[in-house]
Amino acid sequence: MQFEPGDRRRVLPRHLRPQPEPEVFSYSIRAARAGDLPYVREIYNHFVSNSVVTLDERRSSIPYWREKFALLSKLGLPFLVAVSPAGVVIGYALAQPWAGKNAYRYTVEDSIYLGPGAGGKGLGAALLQALIDACEQLGIREMVAVISDTKADASIRLHAKLGFVEAGRMGRVGHKFGRELGTVYMRRALRPSRRRRFFSTSSGR
């Protein structure tokens, strides 16, 4: 059948119209840069203001993130960001010293946060795996996660999926939004591929 110009029948019925291709969630993971810190701060502050995922009650500042970025760079510890095709930071992961004593130098604590709309799409697992890989290449032997015990099922499942096991719980050690909060400790033994070069974070006392 042919349609004459101007014939309204030229419009195909809805069920016959070509359907748009579904939008593909894509990203790349790379080392964080100084220019990423405003995005990182906004992602973190979203959770500070709206959840108990972090027990911080005060929103963080750019100087705070610059100091953390400088410390992790000095220690050679990984600070990774996930970036959308448009160049927007949609999530980050970092490894920080577990404690300031020299004897803890082969152990790190992970921290992973995803921006609004980036959860539930596999990005958290990709960031955590990239962080684990980076730490093993640096000679780190142990990774620890400290997770709020309230509405943290997704984080617990994520860590368990990547080989973390529960190491203990502490109840009512935090207080936020008028609620008593506890923490879940999870750990994973890493397989370092090299000997770690050590940079001290303490005064040696």
Side-chain angles (χ1 to χ4, degrees):
M1 177 186 293
Q2 293 182 341
F3 297 118
E4 296 297 327
D7 193 329
R8 292 184 179 179
R9 290 178 299 171
R10 294 171 57 190
V11 179
L12 290 172
R14 184 180 300 275
H15 69 281
L16 295 179
R17 297 175 193 172
Q19 297 299 312
E21 292 292 330
E23 185 176 348
V24 178
F25 180 69
S26 58
Y27 55 86
S28 58
I29 296 176
R30 59 166 172 79
R33 304 166 184 162
D36 299 325
L37 299 182
Y39 297 99
V40 169
R41 179 192 64 169
E42 289 308 309
I43 290 173
Y44 185 70
N45 283 347
H46 170 77
F47 288 94
V48 171
S49 300
N50 299 286
S51 79
V52 293
V53 171
T54 172
L55 297 188
D56 271 344
E57 294 183 296
R58 296 181 180 178
R59 292 169 62 86
S60 60
S61 64
I62 289 295
Y64 166 85
W65 283 104
R66 286 176 179 162
E67 182 177 344
K68 181 179 285 290
F69 181 74
L71 174 63
L72 298 183
S73 297
K74 176 183 176 182
L75 298 176
L77 292 175
F79 189 160
L80 307 176
V81 293
V83 184
S84 73
V88 177
V89 175
I90 57 175
Y92 72 89
L94 60 85
Q96 56 195 346
W98 168 241
K101 303 296 183 181
N102 292 357
Y104 293 115
R105 60 187 175 273
Y106 296 110
T107 302
V108 294
E109 178 184 349
D110 73 68
S111 183
I112 300 176
Y113 288 90
L114 306 182
K121 301 176 181 179
L123 178 57
L127 273 170
L128 181 53
Q129 185 61 63
L131 190 71
I132 290 170
D133 293 344
C135 286
E136 289 183 332
Q137 292 173 11
L138 291 170
I140 300 297
R141 301 176 185 173
E142 195 85 10
M143 184 175 286
V144 177
V146 183
I147 304 169
S148 169
D149 69 353
T150 301
K151 295 184 178 180
D153 292 344
S155 184
I156 292 174
R157 286 195 303 269
L158 168 64
H159 284 81
K161 178 181 177 180
L162 292 184
F164 285 73
V165 296
E166 185 173 322
R169 293 179 179 241
M170 295 183 68
R172 301 177 63 183
V173 292
H175 188 88
K176 185 176 181 179
F177 300 148
R179 296 154 60 186
E180 302 289 346
L181 302 168
T183 53
V184 179
Y185 291 81
M186 301 187 75
R187 56 170 289 271
R188 170 176 162 160
L190 304 185
R191 298 179 178 177
S193 59
R194 55 178 286 187
R195 185 173 181 178
R196 173 156 171 74
R197 185 181 178 189
F198 172 57
F199 296 90
S200 175
T201 61
S202 72
S203 61
R205 291 182 293 177

